[in-house]
Amino acid sequence: MEVTMDPLFLAWSYFRRRKLQQCSDICTKILRDSPYDQAAWSLKTRALTEMVYIDEVEVDQEGIAEMMLDESSIAQVARPGTSLRLPGTSQGGGPTPAVRPMTQSGRPITGFVRPSTQSGRPGTMEQAIKTPRTASTARPVTSASGRFIRLGTASMLTNPDGPFINLSRLNLANYSQKPNLSRTLFDYIFHHENDVRNALDLAAQATEHAQFKDWWWKLQLGKCYYRLGLYREAEKQFRSALNHQEVVDTYLYLAKVYQRLDQPITALNLFKQGLDHFPGEVTLLTGIARIHEEMNNISSATEYYKDVLKQDNTHVEAIACIGSNHFYTDQPEIALRFYRRLLQMGVYNCQLYNNLGLCCFYAQQYDMTLSSFERALTLVANDEDQADVWYNIGHVAVGIGDLTLAYQCFKLTLAFNNDHAEAYNNLAVLELRKGHIEQSKAFLQTAASLAPHMYEPHFNLSILSEKIGDLQNSYTAAQKSEDAFPEHVDTQQLLKQLRQHFSVL
Amino acid sequence: MPEVKSIFREVLPKQGQLSMEDVPTMVLCKPKLLPLKSVTLEKLEKMQMEAQEAVKQQELAMKEQ
């Protein structure tokens, strides 16, 4: 006689082992036989939610509309050191653009990208439109909810019989009375269906049912308000949730609100307050480090990342950020140790091997350099990554003096990513060495228009124009270079020289 | 070997000026460390890819019908 397992128990077991599709299938079968089985219904909502669950704390996407039409900021021109939007105000003695490349928003590139990394705002609408908006740069698609909506519809597409729960026919008031069902239902509506308005309805009714004493529902209400862009209301809910119970998550969400409202100092204070209650909490320490990094205060960001590593020595973000900081402060050997640690921990991707290759080259461990890059090329996932790897190989080629190889590498970079401004600039330098002035000039102009935030193309164009006697253009280019990098000594000298020329005339 | 005299002597000019001209040179853009991706970001990208695939598959199926 065959003994069959109780289907619900089996479904539970699948759920615990994260075999979510199987779990959901069994629940569907149970529900077909007895449509009012609440346990199976609840388990299925949980399984479907887990399939598309992403940590809400980490997700933060600003659309163009939010960036350009921002009405929650307090001061148009904030004082230095109090805003995330003035990346130029570096107090921490961070590396200059002369050694560390900048992102579009004028921040030094970071060692780690998370969905909210590049929250720096572009200054003009034109720049906002030009900024790459793919997943790889963690840029929003068109609006903050663009990606969420698409995920929601995709989850519906995969179910040929239509959605599992028809939200418009759901009696939310009824469910909000049942605490054992309402929470899984909320998570399902919020994460799987991405229907924030219905989720908000449910949360509002449930919190009322709990007589406004349940911190969890207040937290969910805050999350809904945050998604809807009502930051002040979200703040109120999170504060109120904190009064009921101290939870790390609430601190993180609240800090997210303050970051969105461009109040980094308040967020920092909040994190410190959180650390009083939860000493050594890694997520709070990471939050502090991220804010310091965004405010261009790299040295104190590194301090906090080191604190993170004291608590959790396998924290990938901290290791990567400290490693990249060492690399750009001229200590590639130490950076190499950090990246090797990541490799030992099992991180295995194109980015890591690319970084290892660069570190090896600059730490003079030439035997490993090319094999690392080869490995990086085999692990490449998309064209942008491939372009960047070739760009870095080009640098190795420049370093060993093989200019033909360098030229080919930079050309390959452009083949994979036609908007690679750095590669255009470096190609221009190589072209000028060959004596092709017109070609070089064309490349520089392309680079300058693609990346107005970099000083190199402007500066090179200025030198080139000065050499061929086009002083006026040289002067304007030098001025642009000065705007991008005011402390650059060579630009200053060039400008001085040009001014002398003009005064003599 | 203190007795062995070196054949080569260093030349230190006692007269004249030493001049050096600082010519501005073109600068290369710097090598770029690639940032690692967070788990959340990777999951987002994976889900986006899968969603796109699913849509493509369905569109193909629609065309075939």
Side-chain angles (χ1 to χ4, degrees), chain A residues 53 58 98 109-113 135 147 150 154 157 324 328 339 342 351 354-355 388 391-392 395 425-426 459-460 463, chain B residues 22 24-38 40-45 47-48 51-52 54-55 58:
Chain A
Y53 181 81
E58 294 286 317
I109 62 165
T110 116
F112 195 74
V113 352
R147 188 183 271 162
R150 283 202 290 163
L157 275 171
S324 69
Y328 285 118
Y339 283 119
L342 283 179
Q351 287 89 4
N354 169 70
N355 297 353
D388 280 332
Y391 170 74
N392 288 325
H395 268 284
N425 176 61
N426 292 0
F459 176 68
N460 290 342
I463 291 181
Chain B
D22 188 19
T25 45
M26 307 270 272
V27 281
L28 288 170
C29 282
K30 306 301 164 291
K32 225 159 100 179
L33 283 184
L34 296 183
L36 301 173
K37 282 178 188 165
S38 72
T40 313
L41 191 60
E42 272 184 5
K43 188 165 177 186
L44 262 178
E45 284 183 21
M47 286 193 331
Q48 214 170 357
Q52 276 172 354
V55 174
Q58 288 203 347

Side-chain angles (χ1 to χ4, degrees), chain A residues 27-49:
Chain A
C27 289
T28 315
K29 260 181 227 155
I30 302 175
L31 285 173
R32 204 177 291 146
D33 298 336
S34 53
Y36 295 105
D37 189 334
Q38 289 189 344
W41 187 83
S42 178
L43 186 59
K44 187 173 171 184
T45 51
R46 282 183 69 187
L48 290 178
T49 310

Side-chain angles (χ1 to χ4, degrees), chain A residues 438-480:
Chain A
E438 281 309 310
Q439 186 70 35
S440 171
K441 205 171 162 186
F443 278 141
L444 283 177
Q445 276 162 348
T446 319
S449 69
L450 281 174
H453 63 282
M454 295 195 314
Y455 82 97
E456 289 98 340
H458 298 304
F459 176 68
N460 290 342
L461 195 59
S462 172
I463 291 181
L464 182 62
S465 309
E466 199 241 9
K467 267 188 194 151
I468 56 177
D470 187 353
L471 295 188
Q472 186 58 45
N473 276 336
S474 170
Y475 187 68
T476 42
Q479 273 180 328
K480 279 181 196 159

